[in-house]
């Protein structure tokens, strides 16, 4: 990057003489010597790099890796200070660690890198509309009604339930951890699966294309440390699932009968049948179609 080279060389020039006015004079001369195309490229280069650094910092900051990122920044500060102060022993040690720094980062941030790539891989398909959107929306409305009816009934009887609604991220590995069902989605099917004496009631039900695809599925638990200690394994599994994909997870507490929704790394609680319908419609249907479709569904 031309601008970066000029700034670094200008900084060394100015610091060597101890005169900051010389630095700005040197920098102005260098910029004046650049063509308009070079300036545009340099500005674009800086903006793109800044954007990626901002997104990476924002992605890591609310995770355990945020502390590791802070440790890395402190390490880099010590390395820079050792070079400026000419501390040869400290500089040699920190420089040796820098030689294997990329490999260390790949190992330390492996879970976060995987989450980031999975999130990035789902972005290009989010805004592609299905040609049969009317039929798909009708099926989605019927499926949401079935899920809400089942969740409300199970909340009334305090029957624990964990329902995963697949979206753009395919969850074949989760399906393989359970038992294939491939049944039409209805409140009767869901209630029978989560009936306390059912052999599949402890796992999660996975819904694909508004059909019950699998039951008894195992979900990854969240790695976050700031979770309410009163939340049980079902809620931790729901949050963990929402951290790795764009699925929507509905949870019914076995202890309190509370209905919760985990989506986009967040868990919201205390849903009623109507508020659950509205929340699922906001996520699974387009905002322009969600309310009219559900008004029509509620009137039937």
């Amino acid at each position: 990057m031309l601008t970066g080279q000029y700034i670094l060389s200008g900084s060394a020039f100015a610091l060597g003489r101890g005169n900051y006015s010389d630095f700005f004079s040197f920098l102005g001369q260098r910029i004046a010597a650049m063509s308009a195309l070079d300036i545009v490229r340099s500005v674009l280069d800086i903006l793109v790099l800044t954007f990626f650094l901002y997104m990476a910092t924002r992605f890591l900051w609310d995770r355990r890796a945020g502390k590791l990122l802070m440790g890395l920044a402190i390490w880099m500060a010590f390395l820079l200070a050792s070079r400026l102060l000419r501390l040869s022993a400290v500089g040699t040690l920190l420089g040796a660690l820098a030689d294997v720094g990329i490999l260390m980062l790949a190992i330390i941030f492996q879970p976060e890198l995987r989450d980031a790539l999975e999130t990035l891989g789902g972005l290009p398909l989010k805004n592609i509309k299905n040609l049969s959107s009317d039929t798909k929306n009708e099926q989605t409305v019927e499926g949401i009604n079935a899920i809400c009816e089942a969740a409300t009934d199970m909340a009334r009887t305090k029957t624990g339930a964990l329902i995963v609604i697949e979206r753009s991220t395919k969850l074949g590995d989760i399906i393989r951890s359970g038992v294939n069902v491939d049944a039409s989605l209805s409140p009767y099917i869901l209630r029978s699966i989560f009936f306390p004496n059912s052999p599949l009631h402890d796992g999660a039900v996975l819904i694909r294309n508004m059909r019950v695809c699998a039951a008894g599925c195992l979900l990854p638990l969240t790695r976050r440390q700031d979770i309410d200690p009163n939340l049980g394994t079902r809620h931790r599994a729901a949050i963990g699932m929402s951290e790795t994909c764009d699925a929507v997870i509905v949870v019914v507490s076995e202890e309190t009968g509370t209905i919760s929704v985990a989506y986009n790394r967040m868990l919201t609680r205390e849903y009623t049948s109507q508020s659950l319908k509205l929340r699922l419609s906001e996520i699974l249907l387009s905002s322009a179609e969600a309310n009219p479709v559900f008004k029509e569904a509620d009137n039937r």
Side-chain angles (χ1 to χ4, degrees):
M1 186 178 67
L2 295 176
T3 303
Q5 294 174 354
Y6 292 152
I7 291 175
L8 290 176
S9 58
S11 300
F13 175 80
L15 290 175
R17 295 188 178 185
N19 189 341
Y20 288 101
S21 63
D22 292 341
F23 164 69
F24 291 108
S25 176
F26 175 84
L27 182 61
Q29 293 174 3
R30 289 295 188 177
I31 294 177
M34 295 172 62
S35 66
L37 183 59
D38 289 335
I39 295 177
V40 171
R41 287 175 176 172
S42 298
V43 171
L44 181 62
D45 197 8
I46 293 173
L47 290 177
V48 172
L49 180 61
T50 303
F51 172 76
F52 278 112
L53 290 176
Y54 168 75
M55 294 302 295
T57 303
R58 182 178 178 182
F59 181 83
L60 294 173
W61 197 254
D62 61 347
R63 294 166 174 79
R64 291 185 302 171
K67 295 182 179 179
L68 297 177
L69 190 64
M70 181 62 70
L72 179 63
I74 295 174
W75 171 56
M76 294 297 294
F78 274 113
L79 178 60
L80 179 61
S82 67
R83 297 290 172 84
L84 293 176
L85 298 176
R86 297 181 180 179
L87 303 178
S88 57
V90 176
T92 301
L93 177 60
L94 296 179
L97 293 176
D99 293 337
V100 293
I102 296 179
L103 180 60
M104 291 172 56
L105 290 177
I107 295 174
I108 293 173
F109 294 113
Q110 185 271 333
E112 284 72 21
L113 289 174
R114 178 177 176 178
D115 292 350
L117 291 175
E118 288 177 345
T119 302
L120 183 62
L123 289 178
L125 300 178
K126 282 187 176 180
N127 295 322
I128 297 178
K129 291 188 176 181
N130 196 312
L131 295 178
S132 58
S133 58
D134 292 339
T135 302
K136 185 177 180 180
N137 284 339
E138 184 177 351
Q139 293 175 347
T140 302
V141 169
E142 293 177 355
I144 291 175
N145 286 331
I147 294 170
C148 293
E149 181 179 342
T152 304
D153 290 342
M154 289 185 289
R156 190 179 301 113
T157 59
K158 293 185 179 181
T159 301
L162 188 56
I163 304 170
V164 180
I165 307 172
E166 183 187 69
R167 299 182 68 219
S168 63
T169 304
K170 299 304 178 183
L171 303 175
D173 54 336
I174 302 299
I175 293 174
R176 287 190 291 272
S177 70
V179 177
N180 288 332
V181 177
D182 191 20
S184 297
L185 178 58
S186 71
Y188 308 103
I189 290 290
L190 294 176
R191 288 202 301 264
S192 64
I193 290 175
F194 290 112
F195 184 72
N197 292 331
S198 168
L200 300 176
H201 78 281
D202 278 335
V205 162
L206 193 138
I207 296 174
R208 169 180 285 181
N209 297 327
M210 286 303 158
R211 288 182 61 85
V212 179
C213 184
C217 299
L218 302 179
L219 305 185
L221 298 180
T222 180
R223 298 183 296 269
R224 289 169 52 183
Q225 303 297 319
D226 57 341
I227 301 298
D228 185 348
N230 294 322
L231 296 179
T233 305
R234 282 192 180 90
H235 295 84
R236 294 176 182 272
I239 298 173
M241 193 73 229
S242 71
E243 292 173 343
T244 60
C245 65
D246 61 348
V248 186
I249 303 95
V250 178
V251 189
V252 179
S253 172
E254 187 174 5
E255 289 76 18
T256 64
T258 301
I259 301 176
S260 307
V261 173
Y263 175 66
N264 195 23
R265 307 174 186 275
M266 297 293 295
L267 181 74
T268 50
R269 310 186 66 192
E270 304 293 343
Y271 281 92
T272 63
S273 176
Q274 186 61 28
S275 62
L276 181 60
K277 280 185 182 182
L278 293 176
R279 178 57 175 158
L280 294 182
S281 70
E282 290 174 358
I283 302 172
L284 300 176
L285 296 172
S286 64
S287 58
E289 296 169 336
N291 289 335
V293 169
F294 267 97
K295 286 179 181 178
E296 180 180 352
D298 290 338
N299 292 332
R300 288 191 294 213

